[in-house]
Amino acid sequence: MDTITKPLHARAARDRAPTYYTATLQEETRYPTLEGHATVDVAIIGGGFTGVATAVELAERGLTVALVETHRIGWGASGRNGGQVTGSLSGDAAMRRQMQRRLGREVDDFIWHLRWRGHDIIRARVARYGISCDLRDGHLHAAMTPAHMADLQRAFDEAQQRGMSSDVALLDAAGVREHLASERYVGAIRNMRNLHLHPLNLCIGEARAAASLGVRIFEHTEVLEITHGPRPMLVTRHGRIHARQVLLAGDVHHQLERRKLGGMIFPAMGGIVTTEPLGPLAQTLNPRNFAVYDCRFVLDYYRFTPEGRLLFGGGANYSGRDSRDVAAELRPAIEQTFPQLKGVRIDFEWTCAMGIVINRIPQLGKLSENVWYCQGYSGHGVATSHVMGEIMAEAITGTLGRFDTFALCRHISVPFGRALGNPLLAVGMWYYQMREKLRG
């Protein structure tokens, strides 16, 4: 029978989900609630990776910045995800088609750079600001069928052609078993450029870096309204922020500007669990401590924590509704992957709302002349959000090249918003899963 234990220590905070990440915080945030008026160059709504990363970029460029968060820094998906920083980029095929007109032959180079830029930003920021977030190298993209293996061969060939020979290796089934004590996979790409980490500690550490640069951070501060105009204003319950520019970076959680943004982004609920500490067995199961995800459209992903717990996620629910028993849903996948863990105790379980875009291309745009938005990473947010933070900072300070390339992409807006959008997503996911099964 599954049991949910008490947190590892007393740092599990009020207003945070009861996750493994909350229980292992390096530091808790204590930013004030906005009271009164403030005036800055840029006001950012949303205290996840997009908002915090953009705040750091802008402050490093010398701008005054205020960041407001309804809950706490890292409260949403930024503090609840699987903690994998990979070169996968959701929607790259659609991106390539839409960007071809603007970029021509350079489109593939542009997209390839996007795949890896987030890794560089995260590494540099962790080093520069001394952020403790369990940053580790090494990842396996694992194939479960011969068709998956053919896809990996093409990805490996491209990586080789682009100078990543020292970073990647193509493994057969025997090669995978040298890295994982699992019979589930027929092959994999081993990628040493990819990373894994404690995402909540990273987000909070970046917020601390932003604050050290002069960014004014306000928690428990819900924005009730954006007043547009030459000097836009954020209206909260107890205060106002006047700014030259505003960035809306709330992803799927925000309810602002629904008239323009409604029907463009939809929640998918991913489930994640963390087991009891496994002792020496953790080293046996994954001796090189790689993060792993498989090739399926609706995939499983996992890694081991510094305490030797298995942190395992998967089974995204595209209805937008929370699961009632994440542990029960994920236990079969855990035991299929590692039969050695049959009956293992689950100590933490939670869900993570991912912002899904129909065509899978991140949505960057403007609501008015000086009010911007950035959202929609479709489950690939840790690395992508850091790239988008850089792009948004460039745009806000007048360099629009990369922003315009994304802003010109066409997005599908579904009538009636989530009432129709989530059922359509669920049907679409069912279609892709059926096609995948037929493909073998």
Side-chain angles (χ1 to χ4, degrees), residues 7 23 39 45 67 84 106 157 170 175 287 295-296 311 391 405 430:
T39 300
I45 305 170
L67 183 149
Q84 298 195 21
E106 297 178 1
D157 291 343
L170 191 64
C295 292
R296 293 174 298 174
L311 190 151
I391 291 173
T405 299
W430 174 85

Side-chain angles (χ1 to χ4, degrees), residues 185-205:
Y185 309 112
V186 300
I189 290 179
R190 183 184 68 207
N191 189 316
M192 298 306 299
R193 187 177 293 187
N194 283 338
L195 313 170
H196 54 106
L197 48 75
H198 190 301
L200 183 54
N201 279 336
L202 174 62
C203 192
I204 289 174

Side-chain angles (χ1 to χ4, degrees), residues 180-252:
L180 294 173
S182 176
E183 301 291 329
R184 204 172 188 196
Y185 309 112
V186 300
I189 290 179
R190 183 184 68 207
N191 189 316
M192 298 306 299
R193 187 177 293 187
N194 283 338
L195 313 170
H196 54 106
L197 48 75
H198 190 301
L200 183 54
N201 279 336
L202 174 62
C203 192
I204 289 174
E206 289 185 285
R208 173 168 45 82
S212 75
L213 295 168
V215 175
R216 302 180 65 182
I217 300 175
F218 302 98
E219 294 181 308
H220 303 299
T221 300
E222 181 183 5
V223 176
L224 304 176
E225 179 187 357
I226 303 172
T227 301
H228 295 259
R231 297 276 302 186
M233 180 175 65
L234 307 187
V235 180
T236 74
R237 193 171 304 281
H238 301 292
R240 307 283 188 272
I241 298 178
H242 301 268
R244 297 179 186 275
Q245 313 264 10
V246 168
L247 171 62
L248 182 56
D251 202 64
V252 77

